[in-house]
Amino acid sequence: MVARSAVGVFTHPVRTLVIWIAAAGCSACSDEEPGPAPTLTASATRAQAEDALFHQDPRWLGGDGAYTIDLGNDRSLWLFGDSFIATSAANKRSESAFVRNSIAVMTGRDLATATMEFVWRDGPPPTSFFPEVGDHWFWPVGGARIPDGPLIVFMSEIRATPNEGLGFAGAGQRAFRIADPSSAPATWTIEPTTARSPTFDADATVACTTVDGDYFIAVVAGEGEHDGRLARWSLAEAGAGDLASPQWWTGMAWVPEASLGEPPPTVIPNGATECSLHYDAPTQTWIYLWSRGFGGTTLAIRTAPAVTGPWSSYRDVLRPDESNVENAFVYAGKAHPQLRGTDGSIPVTFADNSFTFADLFDPTREPTLYWPHVARLLLQR
């Protein structure tokens, strides 16, 4: 999104992040395909007061992404993409570093009362929690903790392409393993895994993940098109970091990649490179949620009786007010079902940005623009 000087202070705007998401994050930009009707009553309302969750650390000045992973014992991991980290006591973006990813550990299940410990690699300047490798960097795209075991985090890998195109491009995916996520993040040892992009699409990456019984399941989307395919690993494989050989859903069966005669079919059409997928036990329905459209977007869901489908046509549940302002750029819609409220509502987050880069540094907009925002989703059968 911006260029950063050697001391971590922003020097001039470069609109590459906005343009890259325009190319890779647009969803449902074409006419909707026919499909079975949604089987639920669904609605969402903005929960603006709960945005305060992301403002607890005065040095963390905004970010996007906002995937969550249940760590157990009332702890949840938040995974953010590009983030602003203050480098002076002024705690403002014009005097901040721009890191490619950061995290926070939330203690408590109620977003209104939970505490957040934001973490990055501090130094002169601050750097990403998941470190860059050469000229490649990583944006989190989901993961899960294996029950009472290690944490697996999938990443979209990005490579620098100086003087070419946008200055960077997708380089497939990786995943990292943390053996003991019950300790403080500062003590975590980040281990590589054997995760790779599929042979039929070297740029494809995981878009969201879930656990279903004995399997770790991922929706995989290509960079050029975002129709979701399904891959899975056993929990034993995932826990060991053995992610090189997933099974793929063919429409009839789960088969090893080596047995595919052609790329597996689309399961979730017109999807996104950021989303959430979960089984909603109260309604006995699978839910896929994303930001539908481009620019000023709408939170939407698809439903299915099984993770393999058939998936319904989309249903819009909320158009955030943030989508209705000039130069709106709203994206990264996700549900966080493990944080369901006592009223049965599910927290949903989305990020907002602007196609006018200077807006990010406007003192009147800096407190609210380019932060995760919260809504509440209600589902009823």
Side-chain angles (χ1 to χ4, degrees), residues 35-371:
T39 59
L40 302 179
T41 299
S43 63
T45 56
R46 187 74 164 81
Q48 190 168 356
E50 293 183 280
D51 289 2
L53 177 75
F54 304 103
H55 294 258
Q56 294 186 16
D57 188 327
R59 291 190 61 196
W60 197 83
L61 300 177
D64 60 5
Y67 287 87
T68 51
I69 298 174
D70 189 352
L71 297 179
N73 296 319
D74 283 339
R75 297 168 74 242
S76 297
L77 176 66
W78 288 84
L79 298 161
F80 304 104
D82 291 338
S83 308
F84 290 98
I85 310 298
T87 56
S88 77
N91 292 328
K92 58 184 182 180
R93 287 180 181 165
S94 60
E95 299 176 18
S96 63
F98 188 68
V99 303
R100 292 302 186 178
N101 57 73
S102 63
I103 69 169
V105 173
M106 184 175 84
T107 302
R109 298 285 180 176
D110 184 345
L111 270 64
T113 58
T115 59
M116 292 276 272
E117 178 192 359
F118 288 84
V119 187
W120 54 88
R121 295 187 183 277
D122 215 3
T127 57
S128 306
F129 182 79
F130 294 95
E132 289 79 359
V133 176
D135 62 355
H136 289 212
W137 66 87
F138 304 102
W139 285 328
V141 288
R145 183 177 186 184
I146 308 305
D148 299 318
L151 169 68
I152 303 297
V153 180
F154 271 88
M155 297 281 179
S156 179
E157 182 172 357
I158 309 298
R159 62 185 175 88
T161 58
N163 303 316
E164 295 180 20
L166 304 175
F168 61 93
Q173 69 180 15
R174 292 200 195 190
F176 298 110
R177 179 180 183 272
I178 291 95
D180 182 16
S182 61
S183 58
T187 69
W188 290 357
T189 299
I190 299 174
E191 304 169 357
T193 71
T194 59
R196 57 173 178 79
S197 290
T199 55
F200 55 80
D201 187 347
D203 293 326
T205 66
V206 165
C208 53
T209 62
T210 191
V211 172
D212 181 32
D214 294 329
Y215 290 94
F216 184 84
I217 296 178
V219 176
V220 179
E223 186 171 328
E225 50 82 21
H226 311 310
D227 293 342
R229 298 179 169 100
L230 292 181
R232 76 176 188 180
W233 302 262
S234 71
L235 291 183
E237 290 173 322
D242 182 10
L243 300 169
S245 302
Q247 295 179 324
W248 293 86
W249 179 249
T250 66
M252 297 292 292
W254 293 96
V255 303
E257 187 173 316
S259 299
L260 291 173
E262 57 186 19
T266 293
V267 177
I268 303 175
N270 287 336
T273 53
E274 296 191 53
C275 55
S276 63
L277 175 72
H278 77 276
Y279 179 69
D280 189 64
T283 60
Q284 298 182 325
T285 305
W286 282 89
I287 307 294
Y288 174 87
L289 185 143
W290 81 111
S291 295
R292 187 183 68 82
F294 178 67
T297 63
T298 301
L299 294 173
I301 65 168
R302 295 182 188 273
T303 63
V307 71
T308 53
W311 285 90
S312 72
S313 55
Y314 70 81
R315 170 172 294 179
D316 291 335
V317 295
L318 177 68
R319 183 175 176 85
D321 289 343
E322 288 82 357
S323 286
N324 300 325
V325 302
E326 186 176 3
N327 295 313
F329 181 29
V330 177
Y331 58 104
K334 301 173 185 73
H336 308 280
Q338 77 277 17
L339 302 175
R340 184 187 299 268
T342 56
D343 63 352
S345 67
I346 298 171
V348 172
T349 56
F350 59 91
D352 67 336
N353 206 323
S354 174
F355 288 108
T356 299
F357 186 80
D359 288 345
L360 292 172
F361 301 91
D362 180 340
T364 65
R365 301 193 64 185
E366 185 173 323
T368 58
L369 183 64
Y370 198 65
W371 295 82

